[in-house]
Amino acid sequence: MPGVRVRFAPSPTGELHIGGARTALFNYLFAYSEGGKVVLRIDDTDLERSRSDYIDKLIASMHWLDLEWDEGPYYQSRRLDKYTGEAERLLAENKAYRCYCSAEMLAEGRSEARKESKAYLYPGTCRELTAEQEEAFQKEGRVPVIRLLTPDQGNTVVRDEIRGEVSFENANLDDFIIIKSNGLPTYNFASVVDDLQMDITHVIRAEEHLSNTPRQQLCALALGYELPKFAHVPMILAPDRSKLSKRHGATSVEEFYSEGYLPEALVNYMALLGWSPDAGGEEEIFSLDQMVNRFDLYKVTKTAAVYDVTKLSWMNSHYMREYDLNRLTEAAVPFFEQKSLVEAPLNNEEYNYLKQVIAAVRERAKTLVEMADISTYFYHDRFEYDQKGVQKHFYKENAAQHILKAAEELQKLEPYEKESIENLYRTLSEELGISTGRLIHPTRLAITGRTAGPGIFEIMALLGRERTVERLKKAADYIEKNLPQK
RNA sequence: GGCCCCUUCGUCUAAUCGGUUAGGACACCAGCCUUUCAAGCUGGCAACAGGGGUUCGAAUCCCCUAGGGGUCACCA
């Protein structure tokens, strides 16, 4: 389908939400799977809530996710003449009219309707104002809005690429506002004008916009333009099936970044929320390019998806294992910095050490934050011994002597490296007449404070002879002092 | 409340024209591997919201009910 043009049109009133990010993703996947183009448009006609720092953050998040675009960003706030121009035209063609009703009057009507538990529809009070009446209102200082004149009868049918035909009764649609009294267009009008003028062929957006679509079609009809195709993708819900909000943990792309998720994992996870590639496949790991190749808009689900952090975590740990080690190291630096383990910029030696640490721990962490967390003992020995481990490994018969003996031997070991350390431990345990585990477990506890972690010989080699021996001695000391008298 | 959308394992999902032991992934459980933890491998648990139709046959088509979500702004 040549000539496909989609747009992603966020409003800069907050950080990029996971739902918005997935909408952007689907737009991206669809456009490029069809050889089309992506337009980025900033819908910033709400002066009260739009903030320029959100625009920067939004764009930064898009780049981080690697969701690039071909055109834009365009800003609605810089295209205001387009909307007023089109509105003037509708006015001239008698397809729209000025309305002088005050916000107070409307609010009154609404609360009235609420009492009767009915939906409020603007009654069309100003539909047939005479020139004299308008002049009188203007002299009073009333500033009008512009409303679209909508049909009272018949139906407006939305042809949705995902949901099929959805029919709305025009009687339920009132003469809605297209230009506010401050001269700015409303969403339903601005987005239609832009979609039409920017030659957008497919409007792919969240399901919450489905109910607005008939209004937009009415706008397009009045403007005399051809309609783009619509596709409303399902929403993303919180685990309790309510709307996703801050109380459900991370919801914005930025938060996922700072919690230590990799962009590839987030993108991969989001894609699978509402879409799945060819049937039956066991594989669920896809790069952006692979997704583009397999994407099919018509296979997007109709059902809202519950966002579940567990699967994202699994996916993230998968990407951490598979990532190029240098890239992973670079991605990890800020997180190690945050824990005061390293200080950027790292010199060569520091970088190489960090790289080795990461190689050792990467497959044991689900996020970069967790990775930094479990790496602290590679940087300092300010750790407590895990108490369960102490019971289990330190208070065993002769544990202190064993550790001390190992320390002694390690001091003399040449060369001091992973393989030779392992050999030493194997022969030493044999000499002592104990299992290698009896030596290994207390050693791990002594030099890491933990009972779990990477291969112990790898840790010892990485830590170096000095720190290893020192920590072993310190542990032996601890055992002597704390060993319960039996 | 009106209008609109949706409903398959706990979660994400698959099932060409109606005929499958209803498949996969995550999570969970068990076993294997192993110096621990992970990872990996093997196996297991687990779903068609409910009720009516249509049909030889329904997860799939129709209707009703229930539940969830969205929307009803001079927000987008």
Side-chain angles (χ1 to χ4, degrees):
Chain A
M1 205 186 297
V4 162
R5 284 170 65 84
V6 303
R7 75 335 185 252
F8 177 56
S11 70
T13 54
E15 293 174 349
L16 182 58
H17 195 265
I18 182 172
R22 194 198 49 170
T23 300
L25 210 212
F26 282 180
N27 270 287
Y28 177 103
L29 294 177
F30 175 70
Y32 295 137
S33 69
E34 300 287 344
K37 298 255 188 267
V38 177
V39 175
L40 176 63
R41 187 177 75 217
I42 307 296
D43 283 7
D44 55 351
T45 54
D46 184 347
L47 298 179
E48 315 271 288
R49 297 198 302 148
S50 292
R51 278 170 40 184
S52 65
D53 55 322
Y54 282 137
I55 297 176
D56 300 337
K57 287 177 163 198
L58 219 103
I59 287 175
S61 289
M62 298 277 288
H63 285 312
W64 183 66
L65 293 172
D66 203 22
L67 297 178
E68 301 301 332
W69 56 92
D70 302 289
E71 283 179 36
Y74 295 118
Y75 295 87
Q76 289 193 323
S77 58
R78 297 180 197 167
R79 295 170 48 82
L80 298 179
D81 55 320
K82 310 277 185 204
Y83 317 121
T84 47
E86 289 292 52
E88 288 298 334
R89 210 186 93 215
L90 293 180
L91 240 25
E93 293 173 6
N94 286 321
K95 290 172 176 169
Y97 59 90
R98 291 196 176 82
C99 166
Y100 295 83
C101 297
S102 66
E104 293 74 43
M105 282 168 64
L106 298 175
E108 205 171 299
R110 255 190 290 277
S111 65
E112 199 70 22
R114 178 182 287 254
K115 266 185 221 155
E116 294 170 48
S117 74
K118 278 196 298 199
Y120 173 75
L121 295 177
Y122 175 70
T125 319
C126 299
R127 264 191 185 181
E128 321 240 317
L129 252 30
T130 62
E132 291 73 35
Q133 285 173 303
E134 288 212 33
E135 210 173 309
F137 281 141
Q138 277 173 9
K139 270 192 182 140
E140 280 177 41
R142 291 207 206 179
V143 187
V145 299
I146 301 177
R147 289 181 184 271
L148 186 74
L149 187 61
T150 62
D152 297 326
Q153 291 167 349
N155 288 70
T156 296
V157 177
V158 175
R159 261 222 53 94
D160 188 272
E161 300 297 303
I162 294 171
R163 283 153 217 282
E165 291 191 350
V166 183
S167 178
F168 297 84
E169 280 182 46
N170 292 148
N172 291 324
L173 271 19
D174 62 2
D175 292 345
F176 55 93
I177 295 170
I178 57 177
I179 301 285
K180 301 181 258 185
S181 58
N182 65 5
L184 262 39
T186 57
Y187 167 76
N188 281 326
F189 189 62
S191 94
V192 171
V193 169
D194 280 343
D195 289 342
L196 298 171
Q197 292 189 354
M198 293 176 180
D199 293 317
I200 300 304
T201 59
H202 297 256
V203 172
I204 301 171
R205 63 189 4 168
E207 190 188 344
E208 59 190 298
H209 293 288
L210 183 56
S211 306
N212 275 320
T213 309
R215 283 178 241 276
Q216 295 173 20
Q217 292 197 355
L218 257 17
C219 281
L221 193 69
L223 289 165
Y225 288 120
E226 210 171 302
L227 243 31
K229 295 194 170 182
F230 293 99
H232 290 92
V233 305
M235 316 255 324
I236 297 176
L237 269 27
D240 59 0
R241 299 203 77 84
S242 69
K243 203 169 177 174
L244 210 49
S245 71
K246 311 103 241 140
R247 75 192 160 86
H248 297 110
T251 56
S252 74
V253 172
E254 266 188 81
E255 287 172 291
F256 284 106
Y257 164 79
S258 53
E259 291 195 1
Y261 290 92
L262 263 10
E264 288 85 348
L266 224 207
V267 165
N268 196 154
Y269 176 72
M270 288 192 302
L272 262 23
L273 244 35
W275 171 75
S276 74
D278 350 307
E282 295 194 12
E283 189 62 7
E284 301 209 335
I285 301 292
F286 303 102
S287 68
L288 209 40
D289 285 344
Q290 289 170 319
M291 287 185 241
V292 166
N293 284 328
R294 312 175 78 150
F295 191 74
D296 181 354
L297 184 60
Y298 308 101
K299 291 203 72 178
V300 171
T301 332
K302 298 182 178 77
T303 328
V306 169
Y307 148 77
D308 173 30
V309 75
T310 320
K311 189 159 182 175
L312 206 212
S313 288
W314 166 77
M315 213 160 244
N316 201 56
S317 62
H318 173 90
Y319 276 95
M320 289 208 296
R321 262 176 271 132
E322 304 291 312
Y323 238 51
D324 170 80
L325 186 55
N326 279 312
R327 277 189 68 205
L328 187 63
T329 305
E330 275 154 33
V333 167
F335 296 89
F336 277 72
E337 241 188 315
Q338 203 164 37
K339 295 241 161 8
S340 307
L341 302 179
V342 302
E343 210 174 302
L346 278 66
N347 65 32
N348 257 349
E349 195 187 334
E350 290 165 334
Y351 181 83
N352 283 326
Y353 182 70
L354 176 61
K355 208 167 132 180
Q356 291 178 77
V357 168
I358 287 173
V361 302
R362 70 194 307 192
E363 71 173 40
R364 269 159 268 261
K366 297 212 180 297
T367 64
L368 296 175
V369 168
E370 199 184 320
M371 196 162 80
D373 260 337
I374 61 174
S375 299
T376 51
Y377 56 81
F378 283 107
Y379 288 92
H380 58 72
D381 58 5
R382 300 187 297 278
F383 53 76
E384 304 272 305
Y385 298 121
D386 176 90
Q387 278 309 306
K388 274 189 188 156
V390 168
Q391 299 295 329
K392 207 167 166 188
H393 305 303
F394 276 1
Y395 295 165
K396 275 242 167 73
E397 186 97 44
N398 299 326
Q401 289 93 311
H402 293 160
I403 288 176
L404 237 28
K405 179 72 181 159
E408 242 171 68
E409 298 287 332
L410 283 167
Q411 209 119 41
K412 296 181 290 193
L413 184 65
E414 271 319 327
Y416 181 88
E417 55 192 30
K418 190 180 154 194
E419 290 75 18
S420 57
I421 298 170
E422 176 158 8
N423 282 335
L424 186 152
Y425 262 56
R426 302 245 178 249
T427 42
L428 181 60
S429 59
E430 213 171 300
E431 280 169 23
L432 293 169
I434 55 174
S435 70
T436 317
R438 283 285 296 277
L439 220 45
I440 285 172
H441 296 306
T443 298
R444 176 187 308 283
L445 190 60
I447 67 179
T448 72
R450 307 176 186 226
T451 56
I456 188 63
F457 307 118
E458 188 178 356
I459 299 176
M460 293 165 85
L462 244 173
L463 233 33
R465 191 202 304 271
E466 209 173 306
R467 286 191 287 179
T468 303
V469 168
E470 197 180 303
R471 290 183 193 183
L472 284 173
K473 287 180 176 168
K474 194 171 152 193
D477 225 43
Y478 173 91
I479 297 172
E480 296 294 349
K481 284 196 189 115
N482 295 283
L483 184 67
Q485 304 295 69
K486 287 192 177 160

